Amino acid sequence: MPDKIRASSEDAQSLSFAIVASSSAPLLLLDVELRILAVSASFCDDFAIDHDQAVGRRLSQIGAGEWAVPQLGALLHATASGSANIDGYHMDLKRNGQDVRSLVIQARKLDYRGGGDVRLIVTIIDVTDAENAERAKDALIAEKGVLLQEIQHRVANSLQIIASVLMQSARRVNSEESRMHLSDAHNRVMSIAALQRHLAIAPSANVSLRPYLTDLCRSIGASMIHDPERITLKVRCDDVTSSSNMSVSLGLIVTELVINALKHAFPDDRKGQISVDYSPKGAGWTLSVTDDGVGMSRETDSPKAGLGTTIVQALAKQLGATISVSDSSPGTAVKVIHLGGDIAGRAKAV
């Protein structure tokens, strides 16, 4: 029986030698003193080690001493004693006249049936190129981030110029209808410009909705409310953020609904207030624009038909939301309601 056990152990060790010698990956077979018993050709090729000179020598003695790393030696000894396993030891291989290589080393103690001498199987993975590629990718992402912010600044400035040109044109034309269309176009451009300003200073792709909607309504009020004592525009919004795409849609919806209220809710110099309210509810949210003006016409239960209404309906559909219009007594309340479940329509708390 002992002879059979000894034979089994010897066969296993012979197999270990054969596996290491024939491996296409850098492998070492070490004894308890960390002497090299077998080494793969790929290890010798990758690290410029002479095979015949390596076998029988301690790992710390091969090459020009670049493998004589105290921490690595201590971990290998601990693995040989059975008190540790090396699962991913990172090591910088430094050789004279060559670039530093970044290695990941794994080691396992081999258990032979019937005991026998201690053997360690050591795998060396060169991750230098992968790490360099990762660093290059991170640098490229950072560079693109800077370029994107620069583009956002330029877009915001261009939108401000376009808005100014539209407003100047609106003041010069004689046709009231043309003046109205130019003024509407001005306010739509201003809503996008407000978002661009926030994107330009935001640290990520998310936009904080409270300052965004506040700034947007301030811009609309400055261009359309000539007497702040007569009409006020209030914003209430929780501390939440949303993606830039969702923010664009919300901003355009607010722009259209506020413009609609300013144009139709307060005829004959009537005084009043418009409230913009955004609040998350579970996985969904509600955006409402409410005025205390003259209210809806008896003949319709929807906002005044036109381009603005078409835009709001299209944007609400894009967000997976529904539109509710009701008489707020006095005035009109328009709510855009998202019940949750649609990724495009989610916002998250700050």
Side-chain angles (χ1 to χ4, degrees), residues 98-293:
Q98 298 189 47
D99 294 336
V100 175
R101 306 299 294 179
S102 182
L103 308 179
V104 175
I105 299 175
Q106 297 176 325
R108 285 291 185 276
K109 178 182 177 182
L110 299 181
D111 292 323
Y112 296 118
R113 189 174 59 171
D117 295 329
V118 172
R119 298 290 184 261
L120 296 180
I121 187 79
V122 181
T123 307
I124 298 94
I125 305 171
D126 190 335
V127 296
T128 307
D129 293 339
E131 289 183 350
N132 288 341
E134 186 69 19
R135 283 192 289 269
K137 183 192 73 174
D138 291 343
L140 182 60
I141 291 174
E143 180 182 357
K144 286 186 175 181
V146 173
L147 292 175
L148 179 59
Q149 281 196 329
E150 177 62 24
I151 291 172
Q152 288 168 344
H153 277 297
R154 295 188 180 188
V155 169
N157 290 339
S158 298
L159 289 171
Q160 291 284 358
I161 293 173
I162 294 171
S164 297
V165 171
L166 288 171
M167 183 55 66
Q168 291 174 6
S169 299
R171 291 169 179 168
R172 287 198 300 266
V173 297
N174 295 322
S175 168
E176 183 63 29
E177 182 179 1
S178 297
R179 186 180 299 109
M180 180 184 66
H181 289 316
L182 288 170
S183 180
D184 288 349
H186 165 266
N187 288 294
R188 291 185 176 110
V189 170
M190 288 299 292
S191 69
I192 300 299
L195 174 60
Q196 286 295 328
R197 284 196 298 273
H198 283 277
L199 288 177
I201 62 175
S204 66
N206 289 331
V207 176
S208 180
L209 287 181
R210 177 186 288 175
Y212 165 51
L213 293 178
T214 301
D215 190 24
L216 172 62
C217 290
R218 184 183 298 114
S219 297
I220 297 173
S223 61
M224 293 192 67
I225 300 176
H226 304 296
D227 184 2
E229 297 295 326
R230 185 172 70 86
I231 299 176
T232 57
L233 183 54
K234 303 292 184 181
V235 176
R236 290 188 296 270
C237 180
D238 292 345
D239 287 325
V240 294
T241 64
S242 72
S243 68
S244 58
N245 288 337
M246 179 178 170
S247 299
V248 169
S249 298
L250 292 175
L252 288 173
I253 290 173
V254 169
T255 298
E256 297 302 333
L257 293 179
V258 169
I259 289 176
N260 189 74
L262 288 171
K263 288 167 61 176
H264 302 291
F266 308 105
D268 304 323
D269 294 331
R270 181 188 178 100
K271 292 185 177 182
Q273 176 175 292
I274 301 172
S275 297
V276 176
D277 192 323
Y278 179 93
S279 59
K281 294 184 178 180
W285 47 263
T286 298
L287 170 68
S288 64
V289 176
T290 306
D291 65 72
D292 58 358

Side-chain angles (χ1 to χ4, degrees), residues 29 173 328:
L29 185 66
V173 297
S328 60

